[in-house]
Each structure stands twice: as structure tokens, then as C-alpha cells.
Amino acid sequence: QVQLVESGGGLVQAGGSLRLSCAASGRTLSTYTWFRQAPGKEREFVAAISWSGALTYYADTVKGRFTISRDNAKNTVYLQMNSLKPEDTAVYYCAADSRSMRFRSDYEDVNEYDYWGQGTQVTVSS
């Protein structure tokens, strides 16, 4: 059984940084993606990374500020978040799947993922 465990969330002032981690246990997974969900809003795509790490995708709202990376030896994916803004406040979820995805639209689709973490709260104060 696969489990995804996120960590690293917290409260930070605008302009600050946080690093989220998502550790997978149970099996090796191919695709990892971060989503987030703010109160009253739908879950939205943040960033994704392929198995090799050669392909990364970012939402326009975080491009240039967030960096996704992975350590396959540790079955862990990271999201380095810099220059945080109050609008980044949300619960951040790690999602993963055993399949390699072909198109960016697949990475962005919440329905493409079999495994989800419990979420970690990120709060950015102004």
C-alpha cells in the first residue's frame, strides 16, 4: 500500500521561503505533482516532475519562485518555495502515480493520480 507523507508547511511572512517534502512508501512511483487548495477554491496544479527529473512543469502563478525536485533513492519529492506571497496560502497536497504521463494537461488533472498525501498547511502573512 502506497503512502505519501508531506511535511514542511507552516507560517511565514511574505517574501519568505519554505521547503515542502513528500515521502512515498510502499512502492516506487513515476510521477509526482504538487497541488494546492485555498479555502473556498478548487484544488489547483502547482508543479510536477517526471521520473528522471528532466521534465518539470509549473503553474504560471509560481513560475520563477517555486522549484520542484526529487530524490529517487529516497522516494521523496520536494517543493522549494521562495518569495512567498499571501495568495500562496493554501493546503498543499502531494499527488503521485505509477504511470509516466505524456502531456502537460495530464499532469495538471487531479483525476490522473491514484495516490494523495494528507496535505500540509502553508500560511503566508502580509
Side-chain angles (χ1 to χ4, degrees):
Q1 185 176 357
V2 175
Q3 281 192 318
L4 302 179
V5 179
E6 299 112 331
S7 60
L11 173 64
V12 65
Q13 288 188 332
S17 298
L18 285 173
R19 189 195 195 204
L20 305 183
S21 298
C22 173
S25 62
R27 63 179 293 187
T28 300
L29 298 170
S30 181
T31 301
Y32 284 92
T33 299
W34 288 96
F35 290 84
R36 66 186 182 186
Q37 188 166 17
K41 295 188 176 181
E42 291 188 353
R43 195 165 296 189
E44 65 175 6
F45 169 80
V46 177
I49 189 165
S50 63
W51 163 257
S52 66
L55 292 176
T56 56
Y57 299 101
Y58 296 93
D60 289 342
T61 52
V62 307
K63 195 176 297 182
R65 299 187 297 121
F66 291 11
T67 303
I68 189 170
S69 61
R70 64 188 294 167
D71 184 338
N72 288 338
K74 296 181 179 179
N75 279 344
T76 300
V77 65
Y78 306 97
L79 186 68
Q80 178 67 44
M81 305 186 296
N82 299 329
S83 302
L84 282 161
K85 304 175 181 180
E87 50 264 44
D88 294 318
T89 295
V91 177
Y92 283 70
Y93 295 93
C94 174
D97 201 87
S98 57
R99 299 167 298 139
S100 295
M101 300 184 185
R102 294 184 62 188
F103 305 108
R104 179 188 173 111
S105 58
D106 295 333
Y107 286 95
E108 295 176 344
D109 186 350
V110 297
N111 296 309
E112 290 290 332
Y113 296 89
D114 285 339
Y115 307 107
W116 290 84
Q118 80 287 353
T120 185
Q121 176 70 46
V122 171
T123 302
V124 185
S125 63
S126 57

